[in-house]
């Protein structure tokens, strides 16, 4: 039996990118031989095994045939007779279909190296269309490598368009689609993910709500700035629902996040960002009541871990953010110093205590405006 490193690990090591995940292909072995060597099977009927020490995935060389709709609709054939070339041809892109043996020799039957050098994302064969997830994968790879000068081969774009024309994309689970979107949001050029989906006529199927945002060049520039993926997501949703009144916009954001199974951390930041961006950008003009209201609405006295992310978003959208970035944390810190016990010792309790705390808070906000904090 012979093992080869395959897929993204070969691609990224040749590009000089860090490799986080290593996948291996085993040629010439049976499941029984793998078990004898201590590998653990991943599933009952799937020819993939986990290495007992490294925990990495080793798949028996296999061929695949589409047997149904969507991502999971495959039947495969694994046997010791399946060659490395046969295993590699079922894959999505030429640059993902290279294998490296343990001496560093590359097997490259589909010209992945040439495409890596020419910076082209190119499908290997018409079998590309057997997996609709690949439309999203290509868009995500474009988000990752566009800054290196990568483009998508026109024939591959055409295949993606054909895939999008049918009903295949509708069979992908929301979780799988979100997973690709989330990863793309963390890449160097996240806007390329959306632009590519638009080009493939897939955006209208997958994220129709985002079309206004993707048609807006300012939004595309804004999300391409270095920022946390949650911030980029919030900027996108703000733009997507910019035309809705604020109550409706918040409802739209909730619905979008429910439908796309977005984690709460993404949804909550988007809601906070959309509701409070104007106040954050105009912080120097806010009076004491408005400053306190902002802090209370964002619950910043109890938890301010979102603040850094909100500032990241502001710095992309607002002209000037130095004042808010300096003054808001300073005000939060001062408000946290208020000691309710001292007020209780002065005889305040119940509702009167709450009012005394509020008055003290307002006075501190006013001190900041007067420059005496
Ligand atoms: N693959 C494929 N079609 C898919 C998913 C995966 O052809 N829908 C193949 C590709 O050869 C890919 C390999 O399986 O390189 C490993 O897939 P995966 O680990 O999901 O992605 P990587 O290509 O390794 O890329 P990433 O860096 O995004 O993990």
């Amino acid at each position: 039996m012979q093992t080869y490193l395959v897929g993204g690990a070969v691609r990224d090591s040749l590009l000089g990118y860090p490799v986080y995940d290593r996948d291996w292909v085993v040629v010439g072995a049976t499941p029984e031989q793998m078990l004898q060597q201590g590998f653990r099977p991943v599933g009952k009927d799937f020819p993939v095994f986990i290495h007992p020490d490294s925990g990495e995935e080793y798949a028996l060389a296999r061929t695949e045939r589409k047997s149904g709709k969507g991502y999971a609709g495959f039947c495969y054939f694994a046997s010791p007779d399946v060659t490395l070339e046969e295993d590699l041809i079922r894959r999505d892109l030429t640059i993902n279909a290279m294998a490296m043996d343990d001496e560093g020799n590359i097997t490259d039957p589909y010209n992945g190296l040439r495409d890596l050098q020419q910076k082209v994302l190119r499908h290997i064969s018409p079998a590309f269309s057997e997996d609709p997830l690949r439309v999203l994968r290509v868009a995500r790879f474009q988000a990752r490598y566009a800054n290196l000068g990568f483009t998508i081969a026109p024939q591959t774009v055409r295949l993606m368009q054909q895939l999008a024309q049918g009903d295949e994309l509708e069979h992908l689970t929301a979780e799988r689609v979100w997973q690709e979107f989330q990863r793309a949001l963390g890449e160097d050029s996240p806007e390329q993910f959306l632009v590519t989906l638009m080009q493939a006529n897939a955006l209208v199927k997958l994220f129709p709500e985002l079309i206004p945002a993707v048609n807006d060049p300012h939004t595309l520039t804004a999300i391409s700035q270095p920022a946390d993926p949650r911030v980029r997501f919030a900027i996108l949703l703000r733009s997507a629902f910019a035309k809705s009144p604020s109550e409706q916009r918040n409802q739209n954001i909730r619905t979008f996040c429910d439908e796309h199974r977005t984690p709460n951390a993404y949804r909550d930041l988007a809601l906070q960002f959309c509701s409070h961006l104007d106040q954050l950008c105009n912080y120097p003009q806010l009076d004491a009541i408005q400053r306190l209201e902002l802090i209370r609405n964002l619950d910043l006295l109890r938890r301010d871990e979102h603040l850094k992310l909100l500032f990241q978003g502001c710095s992309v959208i607002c002209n000037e953010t130095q004042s808010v970035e300096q003054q808001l944390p300073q005000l939060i810190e001062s408000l946290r110093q208020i000691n309710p016990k001292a007020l209780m010792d002065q005889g305040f309790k119940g509702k009167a205590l709450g009012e005394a705390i509020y008055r003290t808070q307002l006075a501190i906000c006013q001190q900041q405006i007067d420059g005496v904090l």
Side-chain angles (χ1 to χ4, degrees), residues 23 34 46 52 78 90 96 135 169 184 226 247 271 279 284 329 346 363:
D23 295 311
M34 299 299 282
F46 205 57
R90 69 179 166 82
N96 289 342
V135 173
L169 291 175
E247 260 317 298
L271 287 168
Q279 289 133 300
Q346 291 172 34

Side-chain angles (χ1 to χ4, degrees), residues 219-293:
T219 303
L220 295 184
T221 308
I223 63 163
S224 70
Q225 308 300 311
D228 187 279
R230 288 166 290 177
V231 174
R232 288 166 159 176
F233 180 72
I235 294 172
L236 258 180
L237 289 200
R238 175 173 174 271
S239 169
F241 301 123
K243 293 232 156 69
S244 316
S246 60
E247 260 317 298
Q248 182 61 46
R249 180 200 55 212
N250 288 354
Q251 192 44 51
N252 290 342
I253 292 176
R254 286 198 187 89
T255 308
F256 181 95
C257 292
D258 281 352
E259 278 175 8
H260 296 284
R261 307 282 192 277
T262 306
N264 293 349
Y266 279 75
R267 182 200 59 203
D268 294 347
L269 187 77
L271 287 168
Q272 289 192 340
F273 183 71
C274 293
S275 303
H276 300 290
L277 180 73
D278 289 344
Q279 289 133 300
L280 290 165
C281 287
N282 296 315
Y283 186 80
Q285 281 80 51
L286 300 186
D287 64 23
I289 293 177
Q290 289 166 328
R291 287 183 192 207
L292 189 53
E293 204 175 68

Side-chain angles (χ1 to χ4, degrees), residues 11-28:
R11 178 197 68 222
D12 283 338
S13 65
L14 290 168
L15 281 172
Y17 270 52
V19 170
Y20 301 107
D21 238 7
R22 300 202 304 169
D23 295 311
W24 302 84
V25 159
V26 185
V27 178

Side-chain angles (χ1 to χ4, degrees), residues 7-9 11-12 21 23 71 90-92 96 131 133-134 137 140-141 144 183:
R11 178 197 68 222
D12 283 338
D21 238 7
D23 295 311
Y71 175 63
R90 69 179 166 82
R91 292 165 185 266
D92 51 3
N96 289 342
D131 180 0
L133 188 72
R134 290 171 172 171
R137 281 173 58 86
R140 175 165 63 78
F141 288 128
R144 189 186 298 174
R183 290 186 71 185

